[in-house]
Amino acid sequence: ACLSARIRVADFEPSRTQKRVLKKASALRRNATSPWATEDQFALFRRYLDHRHADGGMADMDIFEFAAMIEETPIKSRVIEYTRPPEAGERGRPLTAVCLTDVFDDGLSMVYSFYDPDRTSLSLGTYVILDHIAIAREAGLPYVYLGYWVPGSRKMGYKAGFSALHLYKGGAWVHMGDPAEHATDLHPLSV
């Protein structure tokens, strides 16, 4: 079973590992834009999918479908781009990570994020979540919604590493506690 997950911003405290991620990625620069797809974003998206999710449901998405995902939104959305300092031979600040983010009255919803698969040492997925917590804190928003968390899923396991994580379970938001306690919520065929 998929469980919706969110971080309560006021109660969030970064772990030692997360503090190291913030320090390692401190050279990244954030740029929030209107939801408008670019060729640079699509190129990064393709590299990310080919490296991380080559067999996933989005693997054959073309530039038009990508643009629709980014641009066709009925609510207030932002594209948050992260760039890094150029290396020898590069011009400008290369696009390193992107997150399509919906803005709600009570928080930010991270709809979809992707990043440079050659920069795994920066822990970009974790960094983007940490930065969204900072954005929400600056804006006075109480929550950052992470989408779904699936008990036992290796690809989604990183979400359990955030303090102040709550799951929507049985019609209410509850503190996650020990992730192993939620394994019984899995249907035997869903693993």
Side-chain angles (χ1 to χ4, degrees):
C2 295
L3 300 170
S4 292
R6 73 180 184 188
I7 295 168
R8 186 176 163 86
V9 172
D11 297 337
F12 175 76
E13 288 292 329
S15 66
R16 281 202 312 256
T17 301
Q18 290 163 346
K19 287 177 183 175
R20 281 196 298 273
V21 167
L22 287 168
K23 192 172 182 178
K24 260 196 301 187
S26 63
L28 293 179
R29 294 292 167 260
R30 175 202 316 148
N31 179 39
T33 68
S34 295
W36 189 253
T38 68
E39 288 183 23
D40 281 354
Q41 290 168 2
F42 183 68
L44 182 63
F45 175 74
R46 287 292 349 146
R47 286 183 49 230
Y48 173 79
L49 283 184
D50 292 345
H51 190 267
R52 298 277 311 238
H53 302 286
D55 57 350
M58 300 172 111
D60 58 353
M61 188 180 274
D62 65 25
I63 194 164
F64 301 106
E65 293 164 319
F66 174 77
M69 177 179 80
I70 299 286
E71 297 169 10
E72 293 176 14
T73 171
I75 56 179
K76 184 178 179 183
S77 297
R78 291 286 174 267
V79 174
I80 317 269
E81 295 181 336
Y82 299 88
T83 58
R84 62 176 171 76
E87 294 173 352
E90 290 181 323
R91 292 177 24 170
R93 291 184 63 93
L95 189 61
T96 305
V98 176
C99 186
L100 176 60
T101 305
D102 288 343
V103 182
F104 296 116
D105 290 340
D106 71 340
L108 302 175
S109 178
M110 298 178 66
V111 177
Y112 195 79
S113 58
F114 52 96
Y115 48 84
D116 185 342
D118 297 332
R119 308 264 164 200
T120 53
S121 66
L122 291 177
S123 303
L124 290 165
T126 296
Y127 176 79
V128 170
I129 293 172
L130 292 169
D131 191 59
H132 274 66
I133 293 168
I135 294 168
R137 196 169 266 151
E138 290 164 16
L141 297 171
Y143 301 107
V144 172
Y145 293 89
L146 301 180
Y148 292 115
W149 177 74
V150 179
S153 166
R154 283 182 303 130
K155 283 187 178 177
M156 294 187 184
Y158 68 94
K159 293 179 183 180
F162 286 84
S163 68
L165 189 71
H166 292 83
L167 303 173
Y168 192 72
K169 196 171 168 182
W173 287 100
V174 296
H175 189 271
M176 175 182 237
D178 180 1
E181 291 176 11
H182 304 285
T184 56
D185 297 330
L186 282 177
H187 185 277
L189 301 180
S190 67
V191 177

